[in-house]
């Protein structure tokens, strides 16, 4: 048997067991190999390749522009960097709502080509519920997403808290129940009042994952660039920055520039490769001959 204990990968069942045992679920988004590796090693339960990458990686002003092929490119990178965490791929805008067959096909691409463990979809429109029902029956685990659903930013009228009125809160609970009945293994609740998120969490048997919805959800997720403090364009109140990579990066680049300009970087002993000293006299002699032949001695002076 190997000395290194084989890591048990996190599955959708692991997340459901955590809820049953009252153990919180820890998750972040990830969009690339290196970050996925770091987060996975640090013990994150699941990594969401969120369509938020449209904003944080690609610089769009919302999530609507990212395509299936662009998402797939990032899903593959995250899967390559992950050993233990469950990788969930976000179905982008228009990839699951035009027709049933396309939705199934696109979800299948994430599993087959991207090799991730699950997919996520926003909303609880009857068409979406039908797709979720179909996917879960054919072996594709689906995570739901309610509350503020960024792909509906244009109909919701901006980045706004959802479920604030009694009617809206009841509607959210009903949608959460419908998603659970359709077979989701977890539901993201984004920008939902604490009390409403807490009630939905109590009512569901599947875990709720909060973002801007208070600490009563079964788990939490943040966009990794917000968490690291390196995304400057939006700063919602629910984001807690665990690092300030923006100022740290700025400072590091200033130091790097200073070192290059002063000649302190790179250090020729520890950060470069040296020519063997015993070959140097011979090399200089041969260079001298070449230079004399070309009547140019500038390169010799530089080496000496
Ligand atoms: O795209 C994303 O990053 C998300 C999270 C905010 C849940 O959907």
């Amino acid at each position: 048997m190997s000395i290194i204990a084989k890591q048990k990968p996190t599955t959708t069942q692991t997340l459901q067991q955590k809820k049953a045992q009252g153990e919180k679920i820890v998750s972040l988004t990830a969009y690339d190999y290196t970050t996925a590796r770091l987060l996975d090693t640090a013990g994150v339960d699941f990594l969401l390749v969120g369509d938020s990458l449209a904003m944080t990686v690609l610089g769009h002003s919302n999530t609507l522009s990212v395509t299936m092929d662009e998402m797939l490119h990032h899903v593959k990178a995250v899967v390559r960097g992950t050993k233990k965490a469950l990788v969930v791929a976000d179905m982008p805008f228009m990839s699951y709502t035009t027709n049933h067959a396309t939705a199934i096909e696109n979800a299948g691409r994430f599993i087959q080509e991207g090799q991730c463990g699950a997919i996520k979809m926003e909303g609880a429109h009857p068409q979406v519920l039908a797709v979720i029902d179909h996917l879960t029956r054919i072996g594709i685990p689906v995570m739901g997403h309610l509350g503020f659903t960024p792909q509906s930013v244009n109909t919701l009228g901006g980045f706004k808290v959802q479920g604030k009125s009694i009617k809206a809160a009841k509607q959210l609970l009903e949608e959460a129940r419908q998603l659970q009945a359709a077979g989701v293994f977890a539901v993201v609740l984004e920008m939902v009042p604490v009390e409403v998120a807490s009630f939905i969490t109590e009512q569901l048997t599947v875990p709720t994952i909060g973002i801007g919805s208070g600490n009563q959800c079964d788990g939490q997720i943040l966009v990794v660039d917000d968490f690291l403090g390196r995304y400057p364009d939006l700063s919602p109140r629910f984001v807690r920055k665990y690092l300030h990579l923006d100022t740290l990066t700025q400072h590091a680049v200033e130091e790097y520039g200073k070192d290059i300009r002063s000649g302190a970087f790179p250090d020729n002993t520890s950060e470069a490769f040296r020519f063997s000293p015993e070959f140097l006299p011979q090399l200089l002699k041969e260079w001298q001959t070449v230079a004399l032949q070309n009547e140019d001695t500038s390169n010799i002076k530089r080496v000496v």
Side-chain angles (χ1 to χ4, degrees):
M1 203 170 110
S2 155
I3 300 171
I4 304 164
K6 214 167 169 243
Q7 283 190 313
K8 240 171 117 187
T10 304
T11 64
T12 57
Q13 283 82 5
T14 319
L15 303 185
Q16 295 186 332
Q17 278 157 16
K18 283 194 181 235
K19 172 166 181 141
Q21 290 160 4
E23 208 184 311
K24 293 281 188 184
I25 296 164
V26 178
S27 63
L28 281 164
T29 66
Y31 317 111
D32 65 88
Y33 169 83
T34 307
T35 310
R37 242 189 112 157
L38 288 169
L39 303 184
D40 184 45
T41 309
V44 166
D45 294 311
F46 77 85
L47 291 172
L48 171 69
V49 188
D51 61 356
S52 49
L53 71 83
M55 300 167 78
T56 61
V57 178
L58 304 177
H60 295 293
S61 58
N62 56 44
T63 62
L64 307 182
S65 318
V66 71
T67 64
M68 261 309 289
D69 285 339
E70 286 169 331
M71 287 297 299
L72 203 47
H73 175 74
H74 289 275
V75 168
K76 288 178 183 174
V78 169
V79 167
R80 284 193 286 267
T82 308
K83 286 199 172 83
K84 186 171 187 334
L86 173 71
V87 177
V88 183
D90 216 358
M91 297 284 286
F93 183 56
M94 300 305 285
S95 69
Y96 56 101
T97 43
T98 50
N99 67 69
H100 195 86
T102 310
I104 308 300
E105 203 177 300
N106 282 331
R109 282 189 75 194
F110 274 149
I111 304 291
Q112 238 176 357
E113 295 175 46
Q115 301 195 349
C116 63
I119 59 127
K120 176 169 87 60
M121 284 178 184
E122 292 185 8
H125 184 276
Q127 198 181 335
V128 172
L129 291 172
V131 170
I132 293 172
D133 182 66
H134 186 145
L135 289 174
T136 50
R137 284 176 200 276
I138 62 166
I140 299 184
V142 184
M143 178 178 276
H145 186 158
L146 292 175
F148 175 67
T149 43
Q151 290 172 14
S152 303
V153 65
N154 288 331
T155 44
L156 296 175
F159 293 79
K160 289 184 181 161
V161 180
Q162 303 297 308
K164 285 196 337 185
S165 66
I166 293 176
K167 184 169 170 231
K170 277 171 69 185
Q171 163 94 9
L172 267 182
L173 175 63
E174 182 49 28
E175 288 178 350
R177 284 219 185 97
Q178 287 172 345
L179 283 179
Q180 179 169 275
V184 297
F185 68 89
V187 183
V188 170
L189 294 177
E190 181 162 356
M191 290 174 73
V192 171
V194 175
E195 295 73 9
V196 178
S198 174
F199 191 70
I200 294 174
T201 301
E202 271 173 33
Q203 294 291 309
L204 296 190
T205 54
V206 297
T208 58
I209 309 297
I211 173 161
S213 301
N215 71 5
Q216 298 300 303
C217 294
D218 298 305
Q220 297 292 326
I221 187 162
L222 280 177
V223 167
V224 70
D225 297 84
D226 292 338
F227 160 84
L228 294 174
R230 70 176 180 194
Y231 181 68
D233 296 354
L234 270 183
S235 201
R237 65 187 279 176
F238 58 80
V239 166
R240 187 179 295 177
K241 297 180 182 180
Y242 282 81
L243 266 181
H244 291 275
L245 267 194
D246 51 358
T247 46
L248 287 173
T249 305
Q250 175 79 24
H251 181 70
V253 174
E254 282 164 13
E255 291 298 303
Y256 178 59
K258 264 193 236 158
D259 287 350
I260 292 173
R261 291 179 199 111
S262 72
F265 177 78
D267 179 280
N268 279 350
T269 309
S270 61
E271 293 165 328
F273 310 95
R274 303 306 298 257
F275 196 74
S276 193
E278 71 261 32
F279 296 156
L280 205 51
Q282 178 68 23
L283 177 68
L284 282 173
K285 218 167 108 192
E286 295 196 12
W287 261 344
Q288 221 157 10
T289 314
V290 174
L292 284 173
Q293 276 164 3
N294 294 331
E295 290 181 42
D296 175 9
T297 53
S298 57
N299 57 344
I300 297 170
K301 278 184 209 134
R302 230 178 290 131
V303 174
V304 174

